Amino acid sequence: NTLTVGELAEKLGKDASEIIKKLMALGVMATKNQDLDDDTIELICSDFGIEVEKEEEVDETDLNHYIEADLEEQLIERPPVVTIMGHVDHGKTTLLDSIRHTKVTAGEAGGITQHIGAYQIKSNGKPITFLDTPGHAAFTSMRSRGAQVTDIAILVVAADDGVMPQTVEAINHAKAADVPIIIAVNKMDKEGANPDRVMQELTEYELIPEDWGGNTIFVQLSALQGEGIDDLLEMILLVAEVEELKANPEGRAVGTVIEAELDKGRGSVASLLVQNGTLRVGDPIVVGNTFGRVRAMVNDLGRRVKKVGPSTPVEITGLNEVPQAGDRFVVFEDEKKARQIGEARQQKQIEVRRGDQSKVSLEDLFEQIKQGEIKDINIILKADVQGSAEALAASLKKIDVEGVKVNIIHTGVGAIKESDIILASASNAIVIGFNVRPDNNAKKAAESEKVDVRLHRIIYKAIEEIEAAMKGMLDPEF
Ligand code: GDP
C-alpha cells in the first residue's frame, strides 16, 4: 500500500510542496506523482508529529489465523490422547500391543488392525487414543515442531529393573511439556519384581504415590500377561476427567500429522490426529506446507470412513506432497483457498528454512531478556559424572539476575545425544556439556535445529559464562 507524494499530502492536509521539502531534507528528490514506501511515509509523518497507525498485518500463511475460538457451549468431552514412554526394554511396545489386542471388541472384529501411527480403543464404553510410536524422542520432536498432541504420558518402569537413564529422560520430557504422568510398573510377573523400589526411586523426581502423600498414580501390571491393563485404562480415564479435555466437533477441522509417507500406489499418505472439529472426505485441506482435498480416509481398523471427530486418528490420501510428522492441518471451505494458502506456505518454506527460527543462544540472551521475550533460561546439562552434574546444576540455579530464572530442565550423565538437542529445541533451551561432547547425530541436530551447545571443563567457567550472558557482558566469540 504505497502512496504518491500528492496522495500523502492530501491525507495529511498539507501542501505537496511541504512534503517535497521534507523529502529533500532526507536527501530524496521527488515529484508529486512519485510513490513513497512505508518507511518513508512513516518518517515524514513523524516529522509532522503525526503517528501512523499501521494496519495489523495479517499473515495469510499462518494457519492459526484461520482457527476460530470455540464457544464454551460448543465444547464437549473428547477422548484423551496417550503416549507411552520409558526405558528401552521396559515393555512399551508390549504394553501398546497388549492394550490394543485385549480391547478390540467383538463388534469391531473383522477389521484388520492397521498401523496408522495411533489407535483408539474403548474402555467401559469410553474411547482412549494411543500414539503408536513409543518413546520420548518422537514425542518431543513433534513438540519441537510446535505440535502438542499428548494429553497424558504413561511412564513404563520395569519392576525388576527400576528407574534407568531413559526413565529420567522421559520424566523430564513429559514435565517440560507439562503433561500429566501415570506410572505403569511393568513386569510384575517376574521374579525379583520390586514395585516398592520403583516407587522409592521415583520419589526423587517428585513422582510420589498417593499412599505416600503424593498425587502420582501408580499402576502395577504385566504387559506380557495382560494383567492390570484394565486398571491402567481406568486410571487414564480418571486423569482425563480431571483434565477436562474438550473439543468442538462442529468446529473447523484442525489437528496434527502423526506420520506421513509416499506410497507407490496411493501417493502421499498421511496419518492425522483430528484435534478439533470433524474431518470429512472431500474437505479441502492444508497440511503443513502441502495441500489438497481429502480423497479417502481409513481408520485404525483398516476401514474406510466418511468423517471423524476429535481425538481420532485417521489416514488420508489426496495431498499434493508428503507432509512431516508434527505438521498442523486445517480444513478450508473451498479448494481454491486451500491451494492458495498451501502454495504460499510452500513458497515461504523455501524462503525461511525451518532451522532459521530463532532459538535462544547465549549471544542474544541478554537482548531477549531486555526485550522481555524470555523470563526463564532453560538449560539442559550433560556431564561425565552425576556429582558434577548436580554441583553445576545447583550453582546455576543460584545465579541471581533480576527478573530472570535459570531452569534446569534435564540433567544426565554421558555424551550429548540427539534427544537432548531435540528437547532443547522444543523447550528453547541451551545445552551445557561438562567434560562431555555431543556425538555425531547430536552435532548434526544442533546445527539444523540451531541449538546453542556450550562445552566446559571447569565448573566456575560454565557458571561465569551463563551469568555474563544473562547480564549482557559476554565477551564476543572469535
Ligand atoms: P520396549 O523396548 O520398552 O518397547 O520393550 P518391549 O515391549 O520390546 O519389551 C522388552 C522385553 O520385555 C520383551 O522381551 C518383552 O517380551 C518383555 N516384557 C515386556 N513386558 C513384560 C512383562 O510384563 N513381563 C515379562 N516377564 N516380560 C515382559
Side-chain angles (χ1 to χ4, degrees):
N1 48 338
T2 56
L3 292 174
T4 64
V5 171
E7 285 163 349
L8 179 63
E10 201 170 311
K11 278 208 170 191
L12 298 179
K14 308 273 175 194
D15 201 59
S17 64
E18 284 180 80
I19 310 271
I20 292 171
K21 253 191 245 163
K22 294 259 184 223
L23 282 168
M24 276 166 73
L26 292 170
V28 180
M29 293 307 207
T31 64
K32 202 175 162 193
N33 294 321
Q34 188 134 346
D35 280 331
L36 299 172
D37 63 27
D38 282 353
D39 288 346
T40 315
I41 293 172
E42 212 180 321
L43 267 176
I44 292 173
C45 289
S46 76
D47 243 20
F48 281 120
I50 298 165
E51 184 115 18
V52 199
E53 248 183 73
K54 274 207 186 149
E55 266 178 52
E56 191 68 44
E57 233 177 86
V58 180
D59 181 3
E60 276 250 302
T61 62
D62 183 358
L63 291 182
N64 288 324
H65 173 63
Y66 301 93
I67 302 170
E68 306 89 9
D70 297 305
L71 299 173
E72 190 59 40
E73 61 264 27
Q74 295 175 311
L75 296 175
I76 59 165
E77 203 183 314
R78 67 166 174 85
V81 179
V82 180
T83 296
I84 296 186
M85 303 190 203
H87 194 70
V88 63
D89 279 347
H90 279 197
K92 300 179 291 293
T93 312
T94 311
L95 180 58
L96 272 167
D97 289 348
S98 176
I99 292 170
R100 189 167 197 184
H101 291 133
T102 50
K103 286 296 156 185
V104 174
T105 55
E108 287 160 336
I112 303 160
T113 58
Q114 282 272 110
H115 177 88
I116 63 165
Y119 65 77
Q120 201 174 69
I121 53 106
K122 275 194 177 135
S123 172
N124 289 327
K126 290 205 158 198
I128 305 173
T129 302
F130 286 88
L131 294 180
D132 223 350
T133 326
H136 51 269
F139 168 81
T140 299
S141 86
M142 279 222 200
R143 211 160 67 75
S144 77
R145 316 210 62 232
Q148 184 81 280
V149 297
T150 301
D151 300 307
I152 299 169
I154 306 296
L155 180 68
V156 178
V157 189
D160 61 337
D161 203 21
V163 171
M164 290 307 222
Q166 286 168 13
T167 316
V168 178
E169 273 186 32
I171 294 169
N172 292 334
H173 283 236
K175 281 190 175 170
D178 209 11
V179 170
I181 302 171
I182 295 176
I183 313 295
V185 184
N186 190 31
K187 305 200 185 184
M188 284 302 293
D189 59 292
K190 277 188 121 175
E191 232 175 275
N194 186 350
D196 277 350
R197 194 185 96 197
V198 174
M199 289 193 267
Q200 187 61 50
E201 287 171 345
L202 283 171
T203 57
E204 241 185 79
Y205 305 94
E206 286 147 36
L207 297 167
I208 301 161
E210 286 170 323
D211 286 353
W212 296 0
N215 52 15
T216 303
I217 298 173
F218 282 69
V219 180
Q220 302 186 1
L221 49 86
S222 164
L224 197 64
Q225 302 186 343
E227 299 280 335
I229 303 281
D230 282 327
D231 295 341
L232 177 65
L233 298 178
E234 202 176 302
M235 290 306 144
I236 292 172
L237 289 172
L238 194 78
V239 173
E241 214 177 294
V242 175
E243 297 284 308
E244 294 189 50
L245 306 170
K246 290 191 174 152
N248 170 18
E250 305 303 324
R252 185 196 284 271
V254 301
T256 300
V257 177
I258 308 167
E259 52 184 48
E261 60 172 15
L262 192 63
D263 182 276
K264 264 193 206 144
R266 295 183 296 163
S268 163
V269 177
S271 294
L272 308 180
L273 178 73
V274 179
Q275 292 175 284
N276 203 38
T278 297
L279 183 66
R280 295 181 174 82
V281 169
D283 278 346
I285 193 169
V286 174
V287 186
N289 300 316
T290 71
F291 59 90
R293 191 183 260 281
V294 178
R295 194 189 306 144
M297 298 203 287
V298 175
N299 71 8
D300 54 352
L301 291 169
R303 296 227 178 82
R304 279 180 167 255
V305 287
K306 288 215 160 63
K307 56 175 193 173
V308 285
S311 294
T312 314
V314 72
E315 191 183 75
I316 71 157
T317 53
L319 298 175
N320 70 326
E321 276 178 52
V322 183
Q324 285 188 305
D327 277 346
R328 299 277 290 157
F329 76 80
V330 173
V331 159
F332 284 82
E333 285 84 27
D334 68 282
E335 201 170 356
K336 215 173 109 200
K337 184 85 178 166
R339 167 183 290 271
Q340 180 204 329
I341 306 298
E343 279 174 351
R345 287 176 61 83
Q346 253 162 23
Q347 192 54 39
K348 196 171 171 188
Q349 179 209 23
I350 295 166
E351 286 157 18
V352 195
R353 282 266 157 226
R354 189 180 144 224
D356 288 344
Q357 296 161 353
S358 72
K359 293 271 156 63
V360 276
S361 75
L362 286 189
E363 264 72 41
D364 56 20
L365 193 56
F366 182 63
E367 211 37 55
Q368 292 187 311
I369 292 171
K370 258 201 326 203
Q371 308 278 330
E373 282 167 23
I374 49 174
K375 298 218 156 46
D376 290 328
I377 295 166
N378 290 336
I379 289 177
I380 290 172
L381 192 58
K382 294 299 286 278
D384 52 344
V385 290
Q386 187 64 28
S388 34
E390 276 164 20
L392 186 51
S395 310
L396 286 170
K397 276 194 260 187
K398 276 193 218 130
I399 296 179
D400 188 25
V401 172
E402 216 185 37
V404 203
K405 204 171 95 232
V406 173
N407 222 346
I408 312 283
I409 59 173
H410 176 60
T411 64
V413 172
I416 298 166
K417 297 272 184 49
E418 192 178 4
S419 70
D420 297 317
I421 302 293
I422 292 168
L423 178 61
S425 168
S427 317
N428 213 12
I430 287 165
V431 180
I432 298 179
F434 185 73
N435 280 331
V436 294
R437 312 189 60 81
D439 67 17
N440 275 336
N441 288 337
K443 254 188 225 155
K444 274 186 225 143
E447 229 163 73
S448 70
E449 299 285 325
K450 297 250 181 322
V451 167
D452 198 357
V453 177
R454 299 281 165 155
L455 305 176
H456 285 281
R457 298 193 161 278
I458 299 167
I459 287 197
Y460 81 82
K461 287 235 161 124
I463 296 160
E464 252 178 25
E465 184 179 58
I466 299 288
E467 189 165 4
M470 287 165 74
K471 290 180 174 160
M473 298 184 326
L474 201 66
D475 287 331
E477 248 190 321
F478 295 107

PDB file of all heavy atoms in Angstrom, residues 454-474:
ATOM      1  N   ARG A 454      27.188 -25.531  24.660  1.00  0.00           N
ATOM      2  CA  ARG A 454      28.392 -24.967  25.281  1.00  0.00           C
ATOM      3  C   ARG A 454      29.149 -26.063  26.011  1.00  0.00           C
ATOM      4  O   ARG A 454      28.560 -26.799  26.817  1.00  0.00           O
ATOM      5  CB  ARG A 454      27.990 -23.884  26.280  1.00  0.00           C
ATOM      6  CG  ARG A 454      27.255 -22.741  25.645  1.00  0.00           C
ATOM      7  CD  ARG A 454      28.250 -21.840  24.974  1.00  0.00           C
ATOM      8  NE  ARG A 454      27.609 -20.917  24.048  1.00  0.00           N
ATOM      9  CZ  ARG A 454      28.143 -19.748  23.717  1.00  0.00           C
ATOM     10  NH1 ARG A 454      29.299 -19.366  24.220  1.00  0.00           N
ATOM     11  NH2 ARG A 454      27.524 -18.967  22.860  1.00  0.00           N
ATOM     12  N   LEU A 455      30.440 -26.171  25.718  1.00  0.00           N
ATOM     13  CA  LEU A 455      31.229 -27.221  26.355  1.00  0.00           C
ATOM     14  C   LEU A 455      32.198 -26.606  27.362  1.00  0.00           C
ATOM     15  O   LEU A 455      32.831 -25.599  27.076  1.00  0.00           O
ATOM     16  CB  LEU A 455      32.002 -28.003  25.288  1.00  0.00           C
ATOM     17  CG  LEU A 455      31.125 -28.590  24.176  1.00  0.00           C
ATOM     18  CD1 LEU A 455      31.977 -29.266  23.110  1.00  0.00           C
ATOM     19  CD2 LEU A 455      30.107 -29.565  24.743  1.00  0.00           C
ATOM     20  N   HIS A 456      32.261 -27.228  28.534  1.00  0.00           N
ATOM     21  CA  HIS A 456      33.142 -26.701  29.582  1.00  0.00           C
ATOM     22  C   HIS A 456      33.876 -27.817  30.310  1.00  0.00           C
ATOM     23  O   HIS A 456      33.422 -28.959  30.333  1.00  0.00           O
ATOM     24  CB  HIS A 456      32.313 -25.917  30.615  1.00  0.00           C
ATOM     25  CG  HIS A 456      31.878 -24.583  30.100  1.00  0.00           C
ATOM     26  ND1 HIS A 456      32.691 -23.492  30.060  1.00  0.00           N
ATOM     27  CD2 HIS A 456      30.698 -24.180  29.577  1.00  0.00           C
ATOM     28  CE1 HIS A 456      32.044 -22.464  29.547  1.00  0.00           C
ATOM     29  NE2 HIS A 456      30.821 -22.861  29.238  1.00  0.00           N
ATOM     30  N   ARG A 457      35.006 -27.426  30.928  1.00  0.00           N
ATOM     31  CA  ARG A 457      35.759 -28.383  31.731  1.00  0.00           C
ATOM     32  C   ARG A 457      35.918 -27.889  33.162  1.00  0.00           C
ATOM     33  O   ARG A 457      36.403 -28.609  34.024  1.00  0.00           O
ATOM     34  CB  ARG A 457      37.154 -28.617  31.131  1.00  0.00           C
ATOM     35  CG  ARG A 457      37.090 -29.213  29.746  1.00  0.00           C
ATOM     36  CD  ARG A 457      38.419 -29.745  29.275  1.00  0.00           C
ATOM     37  NE  ARG A 457      38.193 -30.666  28.182  1.00  0.00           N
ATOM     38  CZ  ARG A 457      37.851 -31.937  28.343  1.00  0.00           C
ATOM     39  NH1 ARG A 457      37.733 -32.445  29.567  1.00  0.00           N
ATOM     40  NH2 ARG A 457      37.629 -32.700  27.299  1.00  0.00           N
ATOM     41  N   ILE A 458      35.558 -26.636  33.365  1.00  0.00           N
ATOM     42  CA  ILE A 458      35.741 -26.061  34.699  1.00  0.00           C
ATOM     43  C   ILE A 458      34.406 -25.473  35.139  1.00  0.00           C
ATOM     44  O   ILE A 458      33.809 -24.676  34.410  1.00  0.00           O
ATOM     45  CB  ILE A 458      36.828 -24.969  34.670  1.00  0.00           C
ATOM     46  CG1 ILE A 458      38.157 -25.613  34.219  1.00  0.00           C
ATOM     47  CG2 ILE A 458      36.983 -24.315  36.032  1.00  0.00           C
ATOM     48  CD1 ILE A 458      39.219 -24.629  33.850  1.00  0.00           C
ATOM     49  N   ILE A 459      33.950 -25.897  36.303  1.00  0.00           N
ATOM     50  CA  ILE A 459      32.604 -25.512  36.735  1.00  0.00           C
ATOM     51  C   ILE A 459      32.428 -24.000  36.789  1.00  0.00           C
ATOM     52  O   ILE A 459      31.481 -23.451  36.236  1.00  0.00           O
ATOM     53  CB  ILE A 459      32.259 -26.146  38.115  1.00  0.00           C
ATOM     54  CG1 ILE A 459      32.023 -27.642  37.904  1.00  0.00           C
ATOM     55  CG2 ILE A 459      31.033 -25.481  38.727  1.00  0.00           C
ATOM     56  CD1 ILE A 459      31.294 -28.349  39.019  1.00  0.00           C
ATOM     57  N   TYR A 460      33.381 -23.309  37.412  1.00  0.00           N
ATOM     58  CA  TYR A 460      33.127 -21.872  37.593  1.00  0.00           C
ATOM     59  C   TYR A 460      33.110 -21.126  36.264  1.00  0.00           C
ATOM     60  O   TYR A 460      32.447 -20.114  36.112  1.00  0.00           O
ATOM     61  CB  TYR A 460      34.089 -21.250  38.612  1.00  0.00           C
ATOM     62  CG  TYR A 460      35.458 -20.894  38.076  1.00  0.00           C
ATOM     63  CD1 TYR A 460      35.669 -19.706  37.382  1.00  0.00           C
ATOM     64  CD2 TYR A 460      36.541 -21.732  38.282  1.00  0.00           C
ATOM     65  CE1 TYR A 460      36.921 -19.374  36.884  1.00  0.00           C
ATOM     66  CE2 TYR A 460      37.788 -21.417  37.792  1.00  0.00           C
ATOM     67  CZ  TYR A 460      37.980 -20.239  37.091  1.00  0.00           C
ATOM     68  OH  TYR A 460      39.198 -19.917  36.600  1.00  0.00           O
ATOM     69  N   LYS A 461      33.813 -21.679  35.262  1.00  0.00           N
ATOM     70  CA  LYS A 461      33.788 -21.037  33.934  1.00  0.00           C
ATOM     71  C   LYS A 461      32.400 -21.157  33.299  1.00  0.00           C
ATOM     72  O   LYS A 461      31.912 -20.232  32.647  1.00  0.00           O
ATOM     73  CB  LYS A 461      34.831 -21.701  33.019  1.00  0.00           C
ATOM     74  CG  LYS A 461      36.237 -21.313  33.396  1.00  0.00           C
ATOM     75  CD  LYS A 461      36.972 -20.728  32.202  1.00  0.00           C
ATOM     76  CE  LYS A 461      38.168 -19.934  32.666  1.00  0.00           C
ATOM     77  NZ  LYS A 461      39.424 -20.376  32.074  1.00  0.00           N
ATOM     78  N   ALA A 462      31.814 -22.316  33.483  1.00  0.00           N
ATOM     79  CA  ALA A 462      30.465 -22.523  32.934  1.00  0.00           C
ATOM     80  C   ALA A 462      29.488 -21.560  33.588  1.00  0.00           C
ATOM     81  O   ALA A 462      28.657 -20.941  32.920  1.00  0.00           O
ATOM     82  CB  ALA A 462      30.026 -23.971  33.176  1.00  0.00           C
ATOM     83  N   ILE A 463      29.623 -21.410  34.889  1.00  0.00           N
ATOM     84  CA  ILE A 463      28.712 -20.530  35.626  1.00  0.00           C
ATOM     85  C   ILE A 463      28.939 -19.080  35.206  1.00  0.00           C
ATOM     86  O   ILE A 463      28.000 -18.338  34.931  1.00  0.00           O
ATOM     87  CB  ILE A 463      28.935 -20.689  37.141  1.00  0.00           C
ATOM     88  CG1 ILE A 463      28.575 -22.123  37.541  1.00  0.00           C
ATOM     89  CG2 ILE A 463      28.100 -19.692  37.924  1.00  0.00           C
ATOM     90  CD1 ILE A 463      29.181 -22.551  38.837  1.00  0.00           C
ATOM     91  N   GLU A 464      30.232 -18.727  35.111  1.00  0.00           N
ATOM     92  CA  GLU A 464      30.579 -17.367  34.693  1.00  0.00           C
ATOM     93  C   GLU A 464      29.978 -17.028  33.341  1.00  0.00           C
ATOM     94  O   GLU A 464      29.468 -15.927  33.131  1.00  0.00           O
ATOM     95  CB  GLU A 464      32.099 -17.248  34.579  1.00  0.00           C
ATOM     96  CG  GLU A 464      32.722 -16.433  35.670  1.00  0.00           C
ATOM     97  CD  GLU A 464      34.240 -16.401  35.501  1.00  0.00           C
ATOM     98  OE1 GLU A 464      34.769 -16.579  34.362  1.00  0.00           O
ATOM     99  OE2 GLU A 464      34.906 -16.222  36.506  1.00  0.00           O
ATOM    100  N   GLU A 465      30.065 -17.992  32.438  1.00  0.00           N
ATOM    101  CA  GLU A 465      29.601 -17.733  31.077  1.00  0.00           C
ATOM    102  C   GLU A 465      28.100 -17.445  31.055  1.00  0.00           C
ATOM    103  O   GLU A 465      27.643 -16.493  30.434  1.00  0.00           O
ATOM    104  CB  GLU A 465      29.921 -18.911  30.165  1.00  0.00           C
ATOM    105  CG  GLU A 465      29.549 -18.630  28.728  1.00  0.00           C
ATOM    106  CD  GLU A 465      29.889 -19.782  27.795  1.00  0.00           C
ATOM    107  OE1 GLU A 465      29.399 -20.908  28.014  1.00  0.00           O
ATOM    108  OE2 GLU A 465      30.643 -19.555  26.849  1.00  0.00           O
ATOM    109  N   ILE A 466      27.346 -18.286  31.754  1.00  0.00           N
ATOM    110  CA  ILE A 466      25.889 -18.101  31.768  1.00  0.00           C
ATOM    111  C   ILE A 466      25.533 -16.785  32.446  1.00  0.00           C
ATOM    112  O   ILE A 466      24.709 -16.013  31.959  1.00  0.00           O
ATOM    113  CB  ILE A 466      25.202 -19.268  32.522  1.00  0.00           C
ATOM    114  CG1 ILE A 466      25.484 -20.594  31.826  1.00  0.00           C
ATOM    115  CG2 ILE A 466      23.700 -19.030  32.635  1.00  0.00           C
ATOM    116  CD1 ILE A 466      24.765 -20.804  30.521  1.00  0.00           C
ATOM    117  N   GLU A 467      26.215 -16.521  33.551  1.00  0.00           N
ATOM    118  CA  GLU A 467      25.916 -15.297  34.281  1.00  0.00           C
ATOM    119  C   GLU A 467      26.226 -14.067  33.423  1.00  0.00           C
ATOM    120  O   GLU A 467      25.432 -13.126  33.346  1.00  0.00           O
ATOM    121  CB  GLU A 467      26.733 -15.262  35.584  1.00  0.00           C
ATOM    122  CG  GLU A 467      26.292 -14.124  36.483  1.00  0.00           C
ATOM    123  CD  GLU A 467      26.814 -14.285  37.909  1.00  0.00           C
ATOM    124  OE1 GLU A 467      27.576 -15.246  38.174  1.00  0.00           O
ATOM    125  OE2 GLU A 467      26.450 -13.451  38.760  1.00  0.00           O
ATOM    126  N   ALA A 468      27.366 -14.112  32.745  1.00  0.00           N
ATOM    127  CA  ALA A 468      27.759 -12.993  31.881  1.00  0.00           C
ATOM    128  C   ALA A 468      26.732 -12.805  30.769  1.00  0.00           C
ATOM    129  O   ALA A 468      26.342 -11.685  30.447  1.00  0.00           O
ATOM    130  CB  ALA A 468      29.137 -13.248  31.295  1.00  0.00           C
ATOM    131  N   ALA A 469      26.284 -13.921  30.205  1.00  0.00           N
ATOM    132  CA  ALA A 469      25.306 -13.837  29.112  1.00  0.00           C
ATOM    133  C   ALA A 469      24.006 -13.207  29.610  1.00  0.00           C
ATOM    134  O   ALA A 469      23.391 -12.392  28.940  1.00  0.00           O
ATOM    135  CB  ALA A 469      25.040 -15.224  28.538  1.00  0.00           C
ATOM    136  N   MET A 470      23.611 -13.588  30.827  1.00  0.00           N
ATOM    137  CA  MET A 470      22.364 -13.054  31.380  1.00  0.00           C
ATOM    138  C   MET A 470      22.472 -11.563  31.646  1.00  0.00           C
ATOM    139  O   MET A 470      21.499 -10.835  31.605  1.00  0.00           O
ATOM    140  CB  MET A 470      22.003 -13.799  32.675  1.00  0.00           C
ATOM    141  CG  MET A 470      21.494 -15.211  32.416  1.00  0.00           C
ATOM    142  SD  MET A 470      21.487 -16.222  33.910  1.00  0.00           S
ATOM    143  CE  MET A 470      20.090 -15.562  34.790  1.00  0.00           C
ATOM    144  N   LYS A 471      23.686 -11.124  31.944  1.00  0.00           N
ATOM    145  CA  LYS A 471      23.870  -9.707  32.254  1.00  0.00           C
ATOM    146  C   LYS A 471      24.291  -8.904  31.035  1.00  0.00           C
ATOM    147  O   LYS A 471      24.545  -7.712  31.131  1.00  0.00           O
ATOM    148  CB  LYS A 471      24.939  -9.556  33.341  1.00  0.00           C
ATOM    149  CG  LYS A 471      24.473 -10.062  34.686  1.00  0.00           C
ATOM    150  CD  LYS A 471      25.577  -9.893  35.710  1.00  0.00           C
ATOM    151  CE  LYS A 471      25.084 -10.252  37.094  1.00  0.00           C
ATOM    152  NZ  LYS A 471      26.213 -10.557  37.991  1.00  0.00           N
ATOM    153  N   GLY A 472      24.414  -9.576  29.905  1.00  0.00           N
ATOM    154  CA  GLY A 472      24.813  -8.864  28.695  1.00  0.00           C
ATOM    155  C   GLY A 472      26.283  -8.495  28.703  1.00  0.00           C
ATOM    156  O   GLY A 472      26.685  -7.508  28.116  1.00  0.00           O
ATOM    157  N   MET A 473      27.104  -9.294  29.374  1.00  0.00           N
ATOM    158  CA  MET A 473      28.523  -8.966  29.449  1.00  0.00           C
ATOM    159  C   MET A 473      29.401 -10.053  28.844  1.00  0.00           C
ATOM    160  O   MET A 473      30.554 -10.225  29.201  1.00  0.00           O
ATOM    161  CB  MET A 473      28.925  -8.743  30.910  1.00  0.00           C
ATOM    162  CG  MET A 473      28.161  -7.571  31.512  1.00  0.00           C
ATOM    163  SD  MET A 473      28.644  -7.144  33.174  1.00  0.00           S
ATOM    164  CE  MET A 473      29.048  -8.694  33.879  1.00  0.00           C
ATOM    165  N   LEU A 474      28.793 -10.786  27.920  1.00  0.00           N
ATOM    166  CA  LEU A 474      29.530 -11.891  27.312  1.00  0.00           C
ATOM    167  C   LEU A 474      30.611 -11.342  26.388  1.00  0.00           C
ATOM    168  O   LEU A 474      30.360 -10.445  25.600  1.00  0.00           O
ATOM    169  CB  LEU A 474      28.546 -12.735  26.505  1.00  0.00           C
ATOM    170  CG  LEU A 474      28.949 -14.166  26.206  1.00  0.00           C
ATOM    171  CD1 LEU A 474      29.015 -14.971  27.482  1.00  0.00           C
ATOM    172  CD2 LEU A 474      27.937 -14.771  25.250  1.00  0.00           C
TER     173      LEU A 474
END
